Amino acid sequence: MTTSEFFKKYLFLTLLFFSFTSVNAGLNKFTNLVFVDDWLIERKVDLTRNETKCRASIPSHATWFGARVRLGPNNELIKPIWISVKADQVIDSKLTKIKELLDDCSSGLLYLPENL
């Protein structure tokens, strides 16, 4: 066996091996999807209910979602009183953009953000 044949077989077996590894692409748990300015949009595909959920928060204040500035289930701004934010992080135009992206994110399995 020549060296080039060996490398071809090695490359093929490596690609074959990695094609069988699993990926947790937001299945049954929230995973980071995209950052928009200071906001993080996360996504979860719930396989038991066949639905897609998305949420948005400013992640710089805490690791736990409940202690962050975020948008609630009805797209209302939730800001814990002990957290200070810059005024430009929560202006109406930015919140409107985040809400539109959340609607797009939740609307289907494929999410392709435009004009970020």
Side-chain angles (χ1 to χ4, degrees), residues 10-106:
Y10 178 77
L11 180 63
F12 174 75
L13 291 174
T14 303
L15 291 174
L16 183 67
F17 173 75
F18 284 112
S19 68
F20 292 113
T21 60
S22 66
V23 177
N24 294 328
L27 300 177
N28 296 320
K29 68 176 188 171
F30 281 100
T31 56
N32 296 355
L33 185 61
V34 66
F35 274 93
V36 180
D37 299 322
D38 298 322
W39 287 81
L40 169 64
I41 296 179
E42 297 172 284
R43 185 177 199 188
K44 172 183 171 182
V45 177
D46 189 341
L47 296 176
T48 58
R49 292 183 173 178
N50 254 355
E51 65 183 14
T52 302
K53 295 181 181 181
C54 297
R55 64 186 185 186
S57 67
I58 300 175
S60 62
H61 301 292
T63 56
W64 180 57
F65 192 75
R68 294 181 181 179
V69 175
R70 63 195 183 281
L71 291 178
N74 297 317
N75 283 337
E76 74 276 11
L77 179 65
I78 298 173
K79 185 187 142 322
I81 58 173
W82 63 88
I83 296 177
S84 62
V85 293
K86 299 176 202 164
D88 69 330
Q89 291 177 311
V90 293
I91 58 174
D92 287 337
S93 61
K94 188 175 288 188
L95 292 177
T96 300
K97 180 179 178 181
I98 298 299
K99 290 174 186 178
E100 289 172 0
L101 290 171
L102 283 176
D103 288 342
D104 289 345
C105 174
S106 300

Side-chain angles (χ1 to χ4, degrees), residues 1-11:
M1 179 183 320
T2 66
T3 305
S4 65
E5 289 175 346
F6 172 77
F7 283 120
K8 286 179 184 178
K9 288 181 181 180
Y10 178 77
L11 180 63

